[in-house]
Amino acid sequence: VHRLRSVDNLFVVVQEFKDYKFKENKEDSLKDLEDLVKKLPWTDPLKVWELNNSLKKKKTKRKKHNLQSPASKEKLNDGGEKGGADQNNTDDQEDCAQNPVAVEPAGGQDTEKPQGVASRNGLEQEEDSEQSDVKDEVQAPSESGSKAADSETGEGEAKVLRFRVTCNRAGDGHSFTSNEAARDFGGAVQEHFQWKADMTHFDVEVLLNIHNNEVVVGIALTEESLHRRNITHFGPTTLRSTLAYGMLRLCDPQPTDIIVDPMCGTGAIPIEAAAEWPNCYHIAGDNNPQAVKRAANNICSLLRKSESKDSSTALGVPLDIIQWDICNLPLRTGSVDVVVTDMPFGKRIGSKKKNWDLYPACLMEMGRICTPGTGRAVLLTQDKKCFAKALSRVGHIWRRAQTVWVNVGGLHAAVYLLRRTCERAEERRSFW
């Protein structure tokens, strides 16, 4: 399960309450949460945590003998995700469980979204991830600092587990903040298990996810988010690896396919593609020399990681990065099987006004390089109105097959799967 490429974080559910009745009075509500700790079925989830921990320790021991890539050392801070009630969406919301960021809540209400059970497809998961920018992590009692110090001093106390409670709260009608819920719930957990509270060097992370009247208590199984696993050099709009993987899955890459990302930025999509589909050949480019440099550095990091996994000579990755103009690609007509790219939203990069000229030109050039009849494109954009207009202008070249709605950093975006028609694209001057 840890190897699933569309998973950000994992946690095991202790218990889920679909319709939890909160008291109107804050003190009563918090007292109910405290009392809940003694009633929860902790035994099996803690066994799962122990099993997960034993496997994790073996893995880290192995790593110590090898060269560690910078990515493996990186601390990641992630936004929360919305919890899914369906069994089908049990992979709904791992992001929250991973390294929450301690920040002040915006306004009077916490805007965190809670988590669900295990994992979820990268595309759907992105729909809910980053839905909230605010997340509070609170270590149970206020004296946690001194207790953490105590637990690290004496050897006799070394066996006592250290823990923290992370609360993610969303919705109206709660008389308390996530800070207060985590503090009181954490105090009850400490009293129940006699664990030591520690916000940073914890063994167990207990998750309290509250979304309206739904409450989920869980135990985190991942220490840090997995969604930036291949990226060490970030740009202003670096895409999550989980979303990149979902986009690539949509286009169903086949062995020997030539896959192109004409606006690669820091290379999140082509690097994910080269790592997961090594039997394809990947070409990526961008018009920004700084982005091309970052992408090249990310490829070097990926190569170092692959060398550390295998002591024998690394074969490299089937990926080239080039600086080029998206509207004038140095590729032969009909030579590409798949185009996958994150198009400029017109927010941090470019502008909505420029997109009205850029999008039609991009789609025409992508249509030219794609193989008629079998070529396909998977394109992500938030500028949906402009994209729809541009697509209508190139309807003779591209046919829309599917649309998947996603949430990217709080922006409501769409991933479009396009199929290349059999119509021949307009020829232009040859590069060869």
Side-chain angles (χ1 to χ4, degrees):
V1 174
H2 278 277
R3 291 178 183 174
L4 292 173
R5 311 314 288 165
S6 58
V7 171
D8 273 1
N9 300 281
L10 300 168
F11 66 93
V12 55
V13 172
V14 177
Q15 193 163 351
E16 186 174 5
F17 302 90
K18 297 287 187 185
D19 189 22
Y20 188 90
K21 303 294 184 188
F22 288 103
K23 302 280 177 60
E24 290 185 15
N25 181 282
K26 179 165 79 170
E27 285 71 24
D28 292 341
S29 291
L30 294 173
K31 183 69 169 62
D32 285 350
L33 287 175
E34 284 184 44
D35 295 341
L36 187 63
V37 171
K38 298 174 185 176
K39 304 171 187 173
L40 293 172
W42 294 98
T43 309
D44 287 343
L46 283 170
K47 283 179 183 174
V48 174
W49 174 84
E50 284 177 13
L51 173 62
N52 181 74
N53 216 37
S54 64
L55 296 171
K56 189 170 58 184
K57 281 178 181 173
K58 286 178 188 173
K59 196 193 299 185
T60 50
K61 277 182 186 173
R62 230 182 359 252
K63 277 186 180 175
K64 285 179 185 175
H65 300 294
N66 296 325
L67 187 70
Q68 275 195 328
S69 71
S72 64
K73 300 174 185 175
E74 187 174 4
K75 272 286 183 187
L76 301 174
N77 296 324
D78 307 299
E81 282 193 58
K82 179 180 174 185
D86 300 3
Q87 207 167 3
N88 293 337
N89 288 341
T90 51
D91 357 10
D92 208 321
Q93 50 308 322
E94 321 63 77
D95 204 345
C96 233
Q98 213 45 48
N99 287 342
V101 189
V103 290
E104 286 299 315
Q109 174 193 346
D110 311 304
T111 56
E112 304 86 15
K113 296 279 181 182
Q115 244 113 313
V117 188
S119 63
R120 174 205 241 187
N121 175 281
L123 284 174
E124 293 186 356
Q125 169 200 21
E126 197 65 25
E127 212 164 323
D128 296 328
S129 83
E130 300 187 16
Q131 192 72 271
S132 54
D133 297 321
V134 184
K135 167 193 295 281
D136 296 297
E137 65 173 33
V138 179
Q139 200 40 51
S142 57
E143 64 270 18
S144 59
S146 59
K147 297 222 173 193
D150 294 343
S151 67
E152 289 177 356
T153 50
E155 276 198 44
E157 290 192 76
K159 293 180 183 177
V160 177
L161 289 178
R162 291 169 296 182
F163 82 105
R164 83 172 179 194
V165 169
T166 301
C167 177
N168 307 293
R169 186 188 69 82
D172 300 322
H174 302 139
S175 57
F176 52 87
T177 66
S178 58
N179 287 44
E180 293 166 336
R183 180 195 65 208
D184 289 22
F185 190 83
V189 169
Q190 184 179 37
E191 191 176 320
H192 184 67
F193 289 104
Q194 297 300 305
W195 290 343
K196 298 289 184 183
D198 191 331
M199 284 184 70
T200 51
H201 305 290
F202 52 88
D203 301 304
V204 185
E205 181 175 26
V206 179
L207 304 167
L208 175 61
N209 299 314
I210 301 168
H211 186 239
N212 292 322
N213 287 331
E214 184 181 4
V215 175
V216 181
V217 180
I219 298 174
L221 299 180
T222 42
E223 290 179 354
E224 61 182 12
S225 178
L226 310 175
H227 81 258
R228 300 187 195 181
R229 53 186 168 265
N230 297 326
I231 304 297
T232 54
H233 296 73
F234 295 89
T237 58
T238 299
L239 197 65
R240 291 165 164 263
S241 295
T242 43
L243 180 51
Y245 176 82
M247 290 172 65
L248 288 155
R249 280 285 300 272
L250 265 183
C251 66
D252 189 24
Q254 300 299 312
T256 74
D257 272 357
I258 295 174
I259 302 177
V260 172
D261 182 352
M263 294 179 277
C264 69
T266 50
I269 293 174
I271 288 172
E272 185 70 18
E276 295 302 312
W277 287 272
N279 295 324
C280 300
Y281 185 66
H282 309 273
I283 308 172
D286 202 284
N287 68 340
N288 186 329
Q290 185 63 37
V292 174
K293 185 179 177 182
R294 287 192 187 115
N297 286 332
N298 283 325
I299 293 174
C300 290
S301 298
L302 188 67
L303 285 170
R304 284 197 296 271
K305 194 187 293 184
S306 62
E307 284 170 7
S308 70
K309 285 180 182 175
D310 187 357
S311 55
S312 61
T313 308
L315 299 174
V317 290
L319 168 60
D320 279 325
I321 301 282
I322 309 159
Q323 185 179 344
W324 60 25
D325 175 7
I326 173 60
C327 301
N328 202 22
L329 298 174
L331 297 168
R332 284 195 178 107
T333 299
S335 63
V336 171
D337 298 291
V338 178
V339 174
V340 185
T341 197
D342 174 12
M343 301 181 78
F345 290 9
K347 298 271 187 184
R348 293 183 190 169
I349 292 181
S351 67
K352 299 259 184 183
K353 186 178 179 182
K354 288 179 181 176
N355 284 351
W356 285 97
D357 294 324
L358 178 66
Y359 279 21
C362 288
L363 289 170
M364 285 295 290
E365 186 66 351
M366 291 173 190
R368 182 190 68 79
I369 64 171
C370 262
T371 312
T374 60
R376 54 257 189 231
V378 173
L379 310 175
L380 166 67
T381 180
Q382 186 259 340
D383 198 349
K384 300 178 284 293
K385 182 180 177 183
C386 180
F387 186 86
K389 185 74 173 176
L391 190 60
S392 68
R393 289 171 60 179
V394 295
H396 60 294
I397 296 177
W398 290 112
R399 177 175 55 84
R400 185 167 67 181
Q402 190 177 351
T403 305
V404 179
W405 304 107
V406 295
N407 184 300
V408 183
L411 299 175
H412 185 249
V415 175
Y416 298 95
L417 171 61
L418 309 180
R419 298 200 180 277
R420 182 70 170 79
T421 64
C422 294
E423 179 123 352
R424 288 179 63 82
E426 184 182 331
E427 289 284 350
R428 57 172 182 72
R429 68 181 182 82
S430 173
F431 281 89
W432 311 95

